[in-house]
Amino acid sequence: MKVATRIALVIVLGFAIAIGGLIGWFYSGIGLPDLASLHEYKAAQNSKVFAADGTLLCELYGDQNREIISLQEMPESFRNAVIATEDRDFYRHRGVDWKGVIRALWANVVQGTVVEGGSTITQQYVKNAYVGPKRTLWRKIQEAHLAYQLEQKYSKNKILEMYLNDAYFGNGCYGVFTAARRYFGKTPAELTLAQGAMLTGVLAAPSYYDPYTRPQEVQEKRNNVLRKMHNAGYINRSEMDAALNTPMDIAPKNQVYVTRRAPYFCDYITALVRRKYGDQQAFRGGLRIYTTIDLRLQDLAENVIARSTEQGEGPDAAMVCIDPRTGYIKAMVGGKDYATSQFNVAADGHRQAGSSFKTFVLARALADKVSPNQTYDASSPRTIQLPDGGVWKVSNYEGHGSGTTTVRNATIHSINVVYAQLIMDVGPSRVAEMAKQMGITSFVDPNPAIALGGLTVGVNPLEMASAYGTLANNGAHAIPRSISKITDANGNLVDEGKPEVNQVVDPEVAAEANSILQSVVSGGTGVGAQIGRPQAGKTGTAEDYADAWFVGYTPDLVTAVWVGYPQGRISMGHMTGGSLPASIWARFMGPALEDTPETAFVRGESGSDSTQSEDITVTVCDVSGMLAGPNCPTTHNRTFKRGQEPQGYCNVHTQQQARTVPSVVGMSSSAALSSLSSAGYTGTVVNQTSSEPAGTVISQTPAAGTTLATGGSVTIYVSSGVPEGTVPGVVGMAEAAAKTKIAAAGFAASAGYAPGGTAGIVMSQSPGAGAKLPLGSTVSITVGSGGGGGSGIKGMSVWWPL
């Protein structure tokens, strides 16, 4: 025998002995990892957020967008495509294909490195789940041993299911469910033979076989998969030919197939779940989060906000609606346009409450047995001495006020100087505590100014709705709940959001407060919110007209509406809580309650509330029938049930008949003045910045339909157009500082990136410094990325709230 032949035989014999020894050692498991000692691997999968009716609102996912489904939900043709391409002997081996291993091992020994894997589907799953992708001989041995153990633990079908849910299909898609949805806009069960073959082809090298960047290569790979399926006997010739001639028809890359509804609320839920469960479980744990949101009310709220505000111009608005009996959040809108600003004023804003905070002073006073008929001097302005020796100068709205009035009337007409005196009598710290008990969670500095909404931190619509809900629920506060239950992906209960209700205000006090706040709507500052059923509420207008509120309720629902500019305290002219906020509230609550029977407020233990049982005698004008003023020619005393007495004072100067004030909202100022003159009234014009065309009447006081003696004055608020600001210069500034400066000036900042310049420094801006723009407009900045390449990051609008 030739020497060369003998050497070859020795090498082959040695290799065979080595392989035999390797296999024996492999099955013995000595020195190899044990599957039982490793942590149970669970593929990350998306968490899902549902509305109260089970409708999917959104999905939460981190770095791996995945939804796990059963093998039965995957078409047989797709499963066969994977087996024919990835592991033809899958149902015959025990986790390791030894022929493939020997072939790969020989190639690796010859090359001196790992150049061929020989992996089965089971080994590929083990690589992803346990050992990682590093290509070393030891890793391959560990992978094979664990694959063998895995086959002892699970059935073949279960392993295939885990693999297809775990595998990466490119473009951020983990598992076949997200891949089918991304590339074809379908569920896996709807995939055709050709589509399943395409997904199988992508599996081989997801970064290379990208249908959006290499469609020709992907189609060739798909066709190769189809031929392998035919050769393996899974499809016949005609099926193969039909699939080969099928166009790819890939869905557009940016198309979204799952609509993200209620986006502000989804962000609120995301933050809530992250705080409670952490990122790992929130984004990768497959939680099923069932919320309290009512989609009918949510859609209604979004539509009302959108119709009531100008997109891109003028002030913004936010709203929260709660069931006061359970605390369940039924609707949440954080702003008029989520695409423009993702800041959720409804849950995260901290805004001045204005006179809407007087409700907590009222509740404290009533709880301290202060009579609603107690009188105070209503003269304005007024200087109040503070305990520390300082002084507090307070004025009423527009500076009006004289004589004395009751706490009840001061609430109905929101008289500041009375409430300034009242909070000094009951104590600011005790008012702050009452607000906290009723549901205000933001910090309330026990300063006398809180009586008028002068808060150090501010409040948001969510906590205001929650706190007012305490009165709607007869003094019982229901802690706000946005989640009714959470389960894992298999339906096992993780958490249950049962209502938590605590009696924090005496029912008699709540009944009295409800009586007074009903009169705010029936004849006070909140008449613009009337919806023709038992209702109560309070207006709020912050200093400089930078925030306007209406928080109102029935026994069935409580809703808080805020109007203002999220990016800062910007005056809205003469915008009051009784104008646009009250109007938004009514437009929402009317339809929201259209199928709900009218419900009366609960009366006190005496069996009746003061509105219906207590008599009050007032002096009225013989001409107008309103509360007598100093110039009424003749007057008389008349007794009414409490709350049914006239709410306005007569301002006649001559003996003239009372008439009904006409509606002039929407008219030009000249036409409105002419209409008022024809009706026998004088008109007073107050200019107010707004998104309505300049010169258009946007509100009026008294409201249309109010009885007013002829000769009286009607104030009309006329739009002076959208407020403008001056664009600041930011070229040469760091990106973050530039955005802050732009936001402080009342604009949004949109950043783009370009190669060159100093990294992170603004190279140019548009419009330039000094340009005049409507507040809220976008200023574009170009930021240098340094070097020669751009970052490729798209710009985003940034809003900076107070």
Side-chain angles (χ1 to χ4, degrees):
M1 184 177 296
K2 296 181 179 180
V3 175
T5 302
R6 290 177 180 176
I7 293 174
L9 287 173
V10 170
I11 291 173
V12 171
L13 180 61
F15 184 73
I17 293 172
I19 290 297
L22 177 63
I23 293 174
W25 169 61
F26 174 85
Y27 283 115
S28 74
I30 299 173
L32 291 172
D34 183 8
L35 188 68
S37 67
L38 300 177
H39 292 295
E40 181 72 17
Y41 172 75
K42 291 184 178 179
Q45 67 169 312
N46 301 351
S47 293
K48 293 188 172 187
V49 180
F50 301 95
D53 64 358
T55 301
L56 180 65
L57 293 179
C58 59
E59 295 185 27
L60 313 183
Y61 57 87
D63 56 341
Q64 295 187 7
N65 183 6
R66 175 189 288 110
E67 179 171 344
I68 293 176
I69 60 175
S70 68
L71 192 66
Q72 288 67 39
E73 295 175 82
M74 307 174 197
E76 185 179 9
S77 60
F78 169 66
R79 292 177 293 183
N80 290 339
V82 172
I83 292 170
T85 306
E86 298 292 313
D87 188 359
R88 287 187 62 170
D89 293 325
F90 175 68
Y91 283 102
R92 290 188 288 271
H93 61 63
R94 292 193 296 169
V96 181
D97 180 359
W98 285 111
K99 288 186 286 187
V101 168
I102 293 171
R103 182 179 63 251
L105 183 61
W106 177 260
N108 296 336
V109 169
V110 171
Q111 295 294 326
T113 185
V114 178
V115 295
E116 188 173 332
S119 295
T120 64
I121 285 175
T122 312
Q123 287 174 273
Q124 291 181 53
Y125 176 74
V126 167
K127 178 182 69 175
N128 293 337
Y130 296 106
V131 301
K134 190 174 180 180
R135 296 170 68 87
T136 66
L137 182 59
W138 177 243
R139 281 292 180 93
K140 295 300 295 183
I141 293 172
Q142 290 179 310
E143 174 189 297
H145 182 68
L146 289 173
Y148 169 74
Q149 292 186 62
L150 196 73
E151 295 255 357
Q152 315 309 308
K153 183 175 182 179
Y154 296 113
S155 69
K156 288 286 188 180
N157 283 345
K158 185 61 179 179
I159 292 171
L160 182 61
E161 176 188 292
M162 293 190 296
Y163 170 68
L164 293 175
N165 277 312
D166 188 72
Y168 183 55
F169 288 83
N171 284 286
C173 300
Y174 289 83
V176 64
F177 184 90
T178 50
R181 190 166 62 186
R182 162 74 72 178
Y183 296 127
F184 301 109
K186 296 180 174 182
T187 64
E190 299 170 317
L191 292 173
T192 65
L193 171 61
Q195 291 168 343
M198 194 220 80
L199 293 183
T200 302
V202 169
L203 267 178
S207 60
Y208 180 81
Y209 291 112
D210 185 335
Y212 297 113
T213 59
R214 292 188 175 91
Q216 185 61 41
E217 289 85 344
V218 171
Q219 183 166 346
E220 291 175 0
K221 184 66 175 176
R222 178 202 70 175
N223 293 346
N224 188 41
V225 171
L226 290 168
R227 294 186 186 98
K228 286 186 176 182
M229 291 181 72
H230 175 252
N231 293 338
Y234 288 118
I235 56 175
N236 58 39
R237 184 57 183 261
S238 62
E239 290 172 323
M240 180 185 72
D241 290 342
L244 289 172
N245 292 314
T246 301
M248 293 269 284
D249 288 335
I250 303 299
K253 186 170 186 177
N254 296 323
Q255 187 164 334
V256 178
Y257 292 99
V258 177
T259 303
R260 192 169 183 265
R261 303 184 66 173
Y264 288 107
F265 181 72
C266 282
D267 285 354
Y268 174 74
I269 289 293
T270 301
L272 190 67
V273 174
R274 288 182 69 187
R275 285 196 302 269
K276 187 166 185 178
Y277 297 101
D279 285 1
Q280 179 65 30
Q281 195 168 5
F283 294 122
R284 304 173 184 88
L287 297 176
R288 300 298 182 254
I289 304 155
Y290 298 88
T291 73
T292 60
I293 210 76
D294 183 321
L295 276 183
R296 183 183 75 86
L297 299 185
Q298 178 67 28
D299 292 344
L300 175 62
E302 291 177 359
N303 290 334
V304 168
I305 293 289
R307 291 197 308 268
S308 302
T309 54
E310 287 288 334
Q311 295 299 311
E313 299 178 0
D316 211 326
M319 177 194 297
V320 172
C321 175
I322 292 178
D323 183 335
R325 297 158 297 192
T326 61
Y328 284 175
I329 299 172
K330 296 298 183 180
M332 176 185 286
V333 183
K336 62 185 178 182
D337 184 7
Y338 183 81
T340 300
S341 172
Q342 291 78 52
F343 179 69
N344 186 356
V345 178
D348 301 321
H350 288 94
R351 309 298 302 206
Q352 296 302 297
S355 293
S356 61
F357 215 80
K358 288 175 180 172
T359 295
F360 306 115
V361 184
L362 175 65
R364 180 71 270 163
L366 295 177
D368 289 350
K369 307 304 180 183
V370 174
S371 170
N373 299 318
Q374 180 170 321
T375 59
Y376 286 88
D377 187 349
S379 300
S380 174
R382 185 177 186 85
T383 300
I384 296 176
Q385 298 295 324
L386 299 177
D388 62 1
V391 295
W392 180 23
K393 294 183 179 180
V394 184
S395 297
N396 291 332
Y397 173 67
E398 299 295 348
H400 303 309
S402 62
T404 61
T405 192
T406 64
V407 171
R408 176 185 295 277
N409 193 60
T411 307
I412 295 169
H413 298 287
S414 205
I415 301 175
N416 291 342
V417 295
V418 171
Y419 264 83
Q421 297 169 74
L422 184 60
I423 195 171
M424 297 307 298
D425 286 349
V426 301
S429 61
R430 300 182 71 245
V431 170
E433 183 61 28
M434 174 62 78
K436 181 179 179 180
Q437 290 174 359
M438 291 177 65
I440 297 300
T441 55
S442 295
F443 171 72
V444 180
D445 186 9
N447 186 297
I450 63 176
L452 312 181
L455 302 169
T456 304
V457 175
V459 291
N460 59 55
L462 174 58
E463 58 189 320
M464 288 294 279
S466 173
Y468 272 63
T470 300
L471 297 178
N473 198 31
N474 200 33
H477 176 241
I479 295 175
R481 288 280 188 266
S482 56
I483 297 173
S484 58
K485 71 173 181 178
I486 298 177
T487 71
D488 62 19
N490 297 319
N492 300 310
L493 188 65
V494 174
D495 192 7
E496 190 170 12
K498 291 182 178 179
E500 185 177 345
V501 184
N502 302 291
Q503 192 75 37
V504 297
V505 175
D506 187 280
E508 292 288 333
V509 171
E512 187 66 62
N514 289 338
S515 167
I516 296 171
L517 295 178
Q518 285 180 79
S519 296
V520 170
V521 180
S522 64
T525 58
V527 293
Q530 292 178 0
I531 57 173
R533 64 164 63 214
Q535 62 183 109
K538 185 70 185 74
T539 55
T541 307
E543 188 178 5
D544 298 330
Y545 303 96
D547 298 278
W549 294 77
F550 186 80
V551 189
Y553 55 94
T554 71
D556 304 291
L557 289 177
V558 54
T559 297
V561 175
W562 166 88
V563 175
Y565 288 92
Q567 65 268 37
R569 290 185 52 76
I570 301 171
S571 176
M572 297 181 287
H574 282 72
M575 176 79 74
T576 66
S579 57
L580 183 57
S583 174
I584 290 174
W585 190 93
R587 293 175 194 170
F588 170 75
M589 287 288 278
L593 293 166
E594 62 185 0
D595 296 326
T596 303
E598 292 186 14
T599 307
F601 286 98
V602 175
R603 301 180 183 182
E605 290 183 0
S606 61
S608 61
D609 63 26
S610 60
T611 298
Q612 297 181 343
S613 65
E614 185 179 343
D615 290 338
I616 181 172
T617 300
V618 296
T619 302
V620 298
C621 174
D622 289 343
V623 176
S624 67
M626 302 179 73
L627 295 176
N631 298 309
C632 293
T634 58
T635 63
H636 67 279
N637 291 332
R638 183 177 175 185
T639 301
F640 296 89
K641 292 294 184 184
R642 173 72 68 182
Q644 297 179 5
E645 73 274 18
Q647 302 300 329
Y649 285 89
C650 181
N651 61 354
V652 298
H653 299 281
T654 60
Q655 187 167 349
Q656 296 176 315
Q657 286 207 335
R659 301 177 63 179
T660 300
V661 176
S663 174
V664 295
V665 174
M667 296 182 179
S668 65
S669 58
S670 59
L673 291 173
S674 177
S675 176
L676 292 172
S677 177
S678 297
Y681 303 110
T682 59
T684 301
V685 176
V686 176
N687 291 319
Q688 177 174 326
T689 56
S690 83
S691 57
E692 295 294 325
T696 302
V697 178
I698 55 179
S699 63
Q700 66 182 80
T701 302
T706 302
T707 300
L708 180 65
T710 54
S713 177
V714 177
T715 301
I716 59 173
Y717 299 96
V718 179
S719 174
S720 57
V722 179
E724 289 190 339
T726 302
V727 176
V730 295
V731 174
M733 297 177 65
E735 178 184 356
K739 288 179 176 179
T740 300
K741 187 173 183 179
I742 290 169
F747 304 105
S750 176
Y753 301 82
T758 303
I761 301 300
V762 177
M763 300 167 60
S764 64
Q765 69 177 83
S766 179
K772 296 290 186 179
L773 283 181
L775 292 175
S777 300
T778 298
V779 176
S780 298
I781 59 175
T782 302
V783 181
S785 59
S791 68
I793 302 175
K794 294 183 178 179
M796 64 171 65
S797 295
V798 179
W799 291 87
W800 293 95
L802 285 178

